[in-house]
Amino acid sequence: MPAELLFALLRDPASTGAVLPSSRALANAMAHAAVGADAVIELGAGTGPVTEALLRHMPGVPLIAVELQAPLARRLRTRFPSVEVREASAKQVVDGLIHRPGRLVLVSSLPFRSLPKEVGAETVNSICRFLAHSRERKLVQFTYQPRAPFVAPRGLRWHRRAVVWRNTPPAGIWELQAEG
Ligand SMILES: C[S@@+](CC[C@H](N)C(=O)[O-])C[C@H]1O[C@@H](n2cnc3c(N)ncnc32)[C@H](O)[C@@H]1O
């Protein structure tokens, strides 16, 4: 385990969720799902494997990386100077972008199953409000569970896009979007 993730886990186990960083295969599959977006908002960027894959797959596309933990946000800024890193909660950033036009894709590594209940609920509500605004938007989320990452409200639908076996543990990649 990289030292940064270990320290993050010790500081805040519920919000960090992962014991291992996302594999290259998982990061690539997440980034691949975002191709075609006008802008990407990465939620819970952590140590940056998905950020790195997004930059590789989508050069020139505006990318906002959101990370709650200050040491991880600082490291992301140093490692990716071209990325707009916001040290903030996912809810704060997503709420602030609700009226932004274009095909916006949220790419999330947020650990919904381990987040404190209230934080998880307000984050899910914020993301669902954001997606309901336009069918051009979607959420890309991975999960280690065999089911969708959280229950979708009426009007939004989950679709399992892929399973990445070359990750420990294997992960499902799911997309959430407004119904047509
Ligand atoms: C599974 S970990 C990081 C995954 C990342 N792909 C990696 O390999 O480093 C999830 C990250 O989400 C961040 N996080 C948790 N809750 C958050 C929130 N409400 N807003 C923004 N970031 C959050 C944690 O600090 C943690 O870095």
Side-chain angles (χ1 to χ4, degrees), residues 60-99:
V61 175
L63 171 58
I64 300 174
V66 185
E67 175 49 55
L68 196 57
Q69 296 196 44
L72 292 176
R74 271 200 300 278
R75 186 168 181 268
L76 288 165
R77 277 196 194 100
T78 309
R79 189 169 165 208
F80 305 110
S82 67
V83 174
E84 180 182 342
V85 177
R86 303 228 192 137
E87 182 195 325
S89 77
K91 179 192 181 312
Q92 264 177 304
V93 175
V94 171
D95 284 353
L97 294 171
I98 189 114
H99 296 297

Side-chain angles (χ1 to χ4, degrees), residues 1-11 47 72 75:
M1 182 192 305
E4 298 81 10
L5 208 57
L6 175 61
F7 289 136
L9 201 61
L10 293 173
R11 263 192 313 271
T47 54
L72 292 176
R75 186 168 181 268

Side-chain angles (χ1 to χ4, degrees), residues 3 5 10 13 16 19 46 57 59 63 68 75 82 86 97 100 106 111 113 127 132 142 146 153 156 162 165 167 177:
L5 208 57
L10 293 173
T16 306
V19 289
H57 280 74
L63 171 58
L68 196 57
R75 186 168 181 268
S82 67
R86 303 228 192 137
L97 294 171
R100 183 161 167 165
L106 306 175
R113 294 191 200 284
I127 288 173
F142 77 83
L156 298 183
W165 297 102
N167 190 69
Q177 203 164 17

Side-chain angles (χ1 to χ4, degrees), residues 37 39-44 54 62-66 86 90 93-94 97 100 103-108 130 138-140:
V40 177
I41 302 100
E42 188 193 354
L43 307 176
L54 286 165
L63 171 58
I64 300 174
V66 185
R86 303 228 192 137
V93 175
V94 171
L97 294 171
R100 183 161 167 165
R103 286 166 299 172
L104 304 181
V105 175
L106 306 175
V107 175
S108 162
F130 177 87
K138 70 176 174 180
L139 166 71
V140 178

